[in-house]
Amino acid sequence: MRIGFIGLGTMGEPMAARLLDAGHAVTVHNRTRAREEPLAARGAGRAATPREAARAAEVLCTMVSDTPDVEAVLFGEDGAAAGLEPGAVVLEMSTIGPEAVRSMHARLAEQHVSLLDAPVSGGSEGAQQGTLSIMVGGEEAALERVRPLLEVLGKTVTYVGPSGAGQVAKAMNQVIVAGTYAAVAEGLALGLAAGIDVEAAHRAVSGGAAGSWGLTNRGPNMLRNTYPLGFRVRLHRKDLGIALDTAAALGVPLPVAAYVAQLETGLIKRGFGDEDVSAIARVVREQAGLES
Amino acid sequence: MRIGFIGLGTMGEPMAARLLDAGHAVTVHNRTRAREEPLAARGAGRAATPREAARAAEVLCTMVSDTPDVEAVLFGEDGAAAGLEPGAVVLEMSTIGPEAVRSMHARLAEQHVSLLDAPVSGGSEGAQQGTLSIMVGGEEAALERVRPLLEVLGKTVTYVGPSGAGQVAKAMNQVIVAGTYAAVAEGLALGLAAGIDVEAAHRAVSGGAAGSWGLTNRGPNMLRNTYPLGFRVRLHRKDLGIALDTAAALGVPLPVAAYVAQLETGLIKRGFGDEDVSAIARVVREQAGLES
């Protein structure tokens, strides 16, 4: 397929590379143009603007940082919307708010372009290995057309409902990550403070009802009080902000997620925003008076 | 081995049965004596008092409800301590406070009896199938003597430190369960309120960083708003109380666990104490105005 791909960060670059390697005709664009070069060396076309990247594309993928970036890429000066032809599909894979997605979806529908929100989880490792989990909202017919592309990028592609639903599912993911990691951090802090063999206790509780991906994969780092990436605190905080705004608009109180967001706000202020999100254990440990 | 076993509730009864089936000479005692009968029919001896159950026992297991029950069984009128011979080992498998355990350990040490705290996780199903996770505190030499018994009861037996450490590990387990379940409940409530295909979203997020035993095994019940056992809210609340008291004595704040304990307090008052602990989702859903 003819694919335009906008946004070549730590997620977008390996995703675009996978699409190229799968034999698609990919034209890339990135705000910092130099990031296009490695992909161009592998056969990608380069576009000077989002509009040019969209021209003649059957599918336009966007993988940028936040709602204003997606707005600018699609509807700003030389934005992609001006280049898209009727019948094209926009695969919006950034994590942004469901309301913003629905608004973009409606604007593009006027020019007979279908926008799917398809945020991902699985991190840069998942992007490189094609093992992302992709949650899709929008028209099912549009999803079926782009499914072969998504299967190059992810190991699971899940349709979760109309426009915006993919972003809600991503918000659910980040809310659950927040509370689960906080739970792990609290449990481990208790063991550390009590002076028991906490590595042994970690093993003992990992296999039962307390078990989680976070306990198994982030617990050991929490015990060492080191937080290599992973997924950055500042990005998780951005995503939690979207989740909490979405929840507030729906009248859904999320006290645990809101609490974790506060911990993350403090971590970012103190310079820990580029650590892994499991760094919330840093604060939980500090609150317990454990040496840092 | 000659084993005394005190406390034949939903956990103790199948545990004593497994020890019998493994060929040990087991003498049982239960406050409500009629509960001894099925085990007696399978070959167990019956003791009229804890003291009698302890007489000639190489190992005395206790599996009762709470600290006062253990106190009464060991040191009350006709208590087991009066029947234990020097060299015996007490396997205290109830979930009680680490401080209480250390005090009992010291009292029994005076008569050359070694007490191991060996609380379990895995529920009645784990007790029946011998797949409990057993966390052990106390003298390692005593553990090595009783390890063959523990391996009849559990699939993992983990030594976590001196007297009381097993109870700390159990407290860690219950703290992590509390926050993990709350995280799952919050995430699912968001999806339900947004009206997306939340079963599909549940599948999509279960395999990644949001994944947990609770999400996989209790999430579907939370979506249905039905909470079959499992592990009772009232027992988890008791265990969280121990964990929070232990943490407070150590100066460790556990805000997420404390919040969940409050939810459970309300559930018990309203008659939901015998539901599974995943019923904390009942409150999270209600707070979001979701129909019950």
Side-chain angles (χ1 to χ4, degrees):
Chain A
M1 290 180 110
R2 293 191 307 280
I3 302 171
F5 202 108
I6 299 174
L8 303 174
T10 52
M11 295 298 290
E13 195 277 341
M15 291 165 71
R18 288 192 67 82
L19 292 171
L20 262 180
D21 291 349
H24 294 285
V26 183
T27 298
V28 299
H29 171 75
N30 194 70
R31 192 165 45 189
T32 304
R33 300 280 324 270
R35 295 205 61 143
E36 298 164 7
E37 286 162 13
L39 288 162
R42 292 168 73 168
R46 297 179 67 177
T49 64
R51 178 178 187 155
E52 193 185 313
R55 192 165 294 151
E58 296 164 274
V59 180
L60 178 77
C61 301
T62 55
M63 190 58 166
V64 296
S65 292
D66 206 347
T67 309
D69 307 293
V70 183
E71 286 277 0
V73 156
L74 290 180
F75 302 111
E77 195 184 331
D78 286 320
L84 287 165
E85 291 171 13
V89 175
V90 173
L91 260 176
E92 209 304 280
M93 308 190 76
S94 327
T95 298
I96 64 175
E99 273 307 323
V101 162
R102 281 189 284 267
S103 157
M104 295 170 191
H105 176 271
R107 285 177 75 177
L108 289 173
E110 289 170 15
Q111 63 184 85
H112 305 287
V113 167
S114 182
L115 181 141
L116 295 169
D117 49 307
V120 306
S121 72
S124 56
E125 202 175 302
Q128 282 155 24
Q129 298 172 0
T131 56
L132 297 168
S133 175
I134 310 178
M135 297 149 274
V136 186
E139 282 88 16
E140 282 195 87
L143 170 57
E144 291 320 311
R145 283 169 55 201
V146 302
R147 189 180 282 275
L149 301 188
L150 293 175
E151 288 175 348
V152 170
L153 302 176
K155 72 166 192 274
T156 63
V157 177
T158 311
Y159 180 75
V160 290
S163 183
Q167 296 295 351
V168 172
K170 178 68 185 286
M172 291 169 60
N173 187 80
Q174 301 299 52
V175 164
I176 297 173
V177 165
T180 303
Y181 282 28
V184 170
E186 288 195 352
L188 297 180
L190 175 56
L192 286 166
I196 71 168
D197 182 345
V198 73
E199 282 87 3
H202 177 266
R203 282 197 306 278
V205 303
S206 292
S212 63
W213 188 96
L215 181 60
T216 297
N217 294 287
R218 296 296 179 253
N221 287 341
M222 292 182 187
L223 291 177
R224 284 190 286 269
N225 208 26
T226 59
Y227 306 98
L229 291 178
F231 187 76
R232 287 174 208 281
V233 171
R234 69 173 77 257
L235 295 178
H236 190 259
R237 180 64 186 84
K238 184 212 82 175
D239 292 359
L240 265 190
I242 291 168
L244 291 166
D245 287 349
T246 303
L250 293 163
V252 177
L254 300 177
V256 175
Y259 168 68
V260 175
Q262 302 308 304
L263 298 187
E264 293 180 353
T265 296
L267 283 168
I268 293 165
K269 171 67 180 279
R270 293 164 61 203
F272 299 119
D274 291 316
E275 290 190 336
D276 184 69
V277 62
S278 52
I280 58 178
R282 189 183 280 287
V283 192
V284 175
R285 291 175 58 121
E286 286 171 351
Q287 289 175 344
L290 293 161
E291 85 297 343
S292 58
Chain B
M1 288 180 115
R2 292 189 310 279
I3 301 170
F5 202 109
I6 298 175
L8 303 174
T10 51
M11 295 297 290
E13 195 278 342
M15 291 164 72
R18 287 192 66 84
L19 293 170
L20 262 180
D21 291 350
H24 295 287
V26 183
T27 298
V28 299
H29 171 74
N30 195 68
R31 193 164 46 187
T32 304
R33 300 281 321 273
R35 296 206 59 143
E36 298 164 6
E37 287 163 13
L39 289 161
R42 293 168 73 167
R46 297 180 66 179
T49 64
R51 178 179 188 156
E52 196 184 310
R55 192 165 293 148
E58 297 165 273
V59 180
L60 178 77
C61 301
T62 54
M63 189 58 165
V64 296
S65 294
D66 206 347
T67 309
D69 307 292
V70 183
E71 286 277 358
V73 156
L74 290 179
F75 303 110
E77 197 184 332
D78 287 320
L84 286 165
E85 291 172 11
V89 175
V90 173
L91 259 178
E92 209 304 281
M93 306 187 79
S94 328
T95 298
I96 64 174
E99 272 306 324
V101 161
R102 281 190 282 268
S103 157
M104 295 171 191
H105 175 271
R107 285 177 75 178
L108 289 172
E110 289 171 14
Q111 64 184 85
H112 305 287
V113 166
S114 183
L115 179 140
L116 295 170
D117 50 308
V120 305
S121 72
S124 55
E125 203 174 303
Q128 282 155 23
Q129 298 172 359
T131 57
L132 296 169
S133 173
I134 310 178
M135 296 149 273
V136 186
E139 283 88 16
E140 281 195 86
L143 169 57
E144 292 319 310
R145 283 167 56 203
V146 302
R147 191 179 280 277
L149 301 188
L150 293 175
E151 288 174 348
V152 170
L153 302 176
K155 73 167 190 272
T156 61
V157 178
T158 311
Y159 180 75
V160 288
S163 184
Q167 296 295 351
V168 171
K170 178 69 186 283
M172 291 170 59
N173 187 79
Q174 300 299 53
V175 163
I176 297 173
V177 165
T180 303
Y181 282 28
V184 171
E186 288 195 352
L188 297 180
L190 175 56
L192 286 167
I196 71 167
D197 182 345
V198 72
E199 283 86 4
H202 176 267
R203 283 197 305 278
V205 304
S206 292
S212 63
W213 189 96
L215 181 60
T216 297
N217 293 286
R218 295 295 180 253
N221 287 340
M222 293 184 187
L223 291 178
R224 285 189 286 270
N225 209 24
T226 60
Y227 307 99
L229 292 176
F231 188 74
R232 289 175 206 279
V233 171
R234 70 172 74 257
L235 294 178
H236 189 259
R237 179 65 185 85
K238 185 213 81 176
D239 292 358
L240 266 190
I242 291 168
L244 291 166
D245 286 350
T246 303
L250 293 164
V252 177
L254 300 176
V256 176
Y259 168 69
V260 174
Q262 302 308 304
L263 297 187
E264 293 180 353
T265 296
L267 283 168
I268 293 164
K269 171 67 181 282
R270 293 165 60 201
F272 298 119
D274 291 317
E275 291 189 337
D276 182 70
V277 63
S278 52
I280 58 178
R282 189 183 278 289
V283 193
V284 175
R285 291 175 57 119
E286 286 170 353
Q287 289 175 344
L290 293 162
E291 85 298 344
S292 58

